[in-house]
Amino acid sequence: MHHTLAPITAPIPVRASSTDDPVELLRFAIDAHGLGAAALATLVDIRGGAARALGAHMAVAADGRFCGYVSGGCVEAAVASEALLAMAQGRDRTVKFGDGSPFFDIVLPCGGGISVAIHVLKDVGALRHVLDCLERRQAAGLAYSPGQRALKPVEPLPRAQWLEQDFVTVYRPRTRVVLSGQTIEAQAVARLAEASGYDVIAMAPGGVRPVADIIDPFTAVVLLHHELDAEAAILEIALASPGFYIGALGSTRTHRRRVERLRAMAFRRDDIARIKAPIGMFGPTRDATSLALSVLADVAAARLVAYA
């Protein structure tokens, strides 16, 4: 009696979520590794234009589930398929897509090309290190060595890049928005900031003392008061902080009065120049929602400038 073995078929890649949050991607990879096997795919080279920045990740589980993006959504299923093959063979691989790629049927809409390094996870210690750093709101670096097929924690660089034979990915804490002001504008900014995935801290009236501890280099301070006296205490703390953005509500005339008060208090010209006022990327606005969009666009742009 002869038995025929059924052919082993690879799992079909299926997107598990639409997130591109590095914390969620790394957690997904850690969980998948715990269930069997996982691979971490990283965008390590861009030729021409690209939809994602160097260091963008995808995480792929052995059962075919994946999350993350290394392009605009056009190559991710193919990357997941390559990751599944890498896991089946137990070997890392680097794959090209678009310009200069053997995959003639995959054309990137931007017309360029990308290279994606796929690492089959042996352990998740380095990933846990990154998550621990981000939990403490500290930047982290992760070096991938194609030669050694290994990940190791390193000091974060200014941006993701090749460093000799290793590719270093950089992770920074999510943007925190410290919001002061009991106004309809403040409520609108809080709602939109939360929907954008920012860490929002709304200050209670008169609550100033603990705020100095929560304004770190990845924090934007947004002051939405209609009186200069109401913002004075938190503005002084913000100016002494490492926050990457300080914005304050008010007209150009109001800001001139603000500047005069701060100069009288012996604040340096460079410190005062950190204040974005009138607040927002575009203005003046006439409704709370438009103001909220203007403020958060400005915060997002300032974050890109601070941490390109």
Side-chain angles (χ1 to χ4, degrees):
M1 187 172 178
H2 295 284
H3 294 281
T4 55
L5 293 175
I8 298 172
T9 56
I12 297 171
V14 177
R15 179 169 288 285
S17 79
S18 58
T19 186
D20 61 0
D21 180 352
V23 170
E24 293 185 35
L25 299 183
L26 297 184
R27 282 183 182 147
F28 179 92
I30 291 169
D31 291 345
H33 180 266
L35 291 171
L40 188 68
T42 306
L43 177 58
V44 296
D45 184 49
I46 296 171
R47 300 176 295 283
R52 297 275 155 173
L54 282 177
H57 283 317
M58 281 177 59
V60 185
D63 62 6
R65 292 174 302 121
F66 69 90
C67 60
Y69 296 86
V70 291
S71 185
C74 48
V75 304
E76 279 68 17
V79 172
S81 293
E82 292 291 323
L84 289 166
L85 286 172
M87 282 185 266
Q89 297 171 357
R91 294 190 59 178
D92 290 7
R93 54 174 60 195
T94 297
V95 189
K96 289 183 178 181
F97 295 96
D99 183 39
S101 165
F103 298 97
F104 298 112
D105 55 333
I106 300 176
V107 179
L108 303 190
C110 48
I114 60 174
S115 295
V116 179
I118 298 170
H119 171 58
V120 180
L121 290 171
K122 301 184 186 76
D123 64 75
V124 293
L127 304 190
R128 291 192 191 281
H129 167 80
V130 172
L131 292 181
D132 288 344
C133 288
L134 294 177
E135 184 72 25
R136 298 194 301 269
R137 291 192 62 79
Q138 296 172 354
L142 193 62
Y144 169 61
S145 168
Q148 298 175 8
R149 299 178 189 168
L151 291 171
K152 62 184 177 187
V154 292
E155 286 297 309
L157 298 174
R159 64 186 60 82
Q161 59 187 277
W162 283 96
L163 192 63
E164 296 179 354
Q165 303 303 310
D166 294 348
F167 184 83
V168 178
T169 304
V170 184
Y171 308 84
R172 295 189 181 89
R174 70 177 61 204
T175 299
R176 170 177 285 167
V177 177
V178 170
L179 194 55
S180 180
Q182 304 301 304
T183 58
I184 185 174
E185 294 90 349
Q187 293 168 18
V189 171
R191 282 196 304 273
L192 194 57
E194 284 169 359
S196 302
Y198 292 165
D199 175 24
V200 181
I201 298 177
M203 301 302 300
V208 169
R209 189 176 299 276
V211 77
D213 300 329
I214 58 177
I215 303 177
D216 60 23
F218 309 101
T219 298
V221 182
V222 174
L223 307 175
L224 299 174
H225 296 273
H226 293 301
E227 298 174 10
L228 290 179
D229 288 340
E231 72 175 26
I234 190 168
L235 179 57
E236 289 175 39
I237 291 171
L239 289 171
S241 79
F244 73 88
Y245 178 91
I246 304 169
L249 190 66
S251 64
T252 303
R253 184 184 305 163
T254 300
H255 187 55
R256 278 201 295 269
R257 286 174 42 223
R258 180 185 288 121
V259 169
E260 287 166 10
R261 292 174 71 154
L262 291 168
R263 282 183 180 160
M265 296 166 66
F267 275 92
R268 291 179 17 242
R269 189 182 299 270
D270 287 352
D271 288 333
I272 297 171
R274 292 174 64 196
I275 304 169
K276 178 64 181 289
I279 196 169
M281 180 168 277
F282 55 87
T285 57
R286 291 285 179 258
D287 64 277
T289 302
S290 295
L291 178 85
L293 288 167
S294 178
V295 168
L296 289 175
D298 210 19
V299 167
R303 166 93 189 210
L304 284 173
V305 170
Y307 305 106

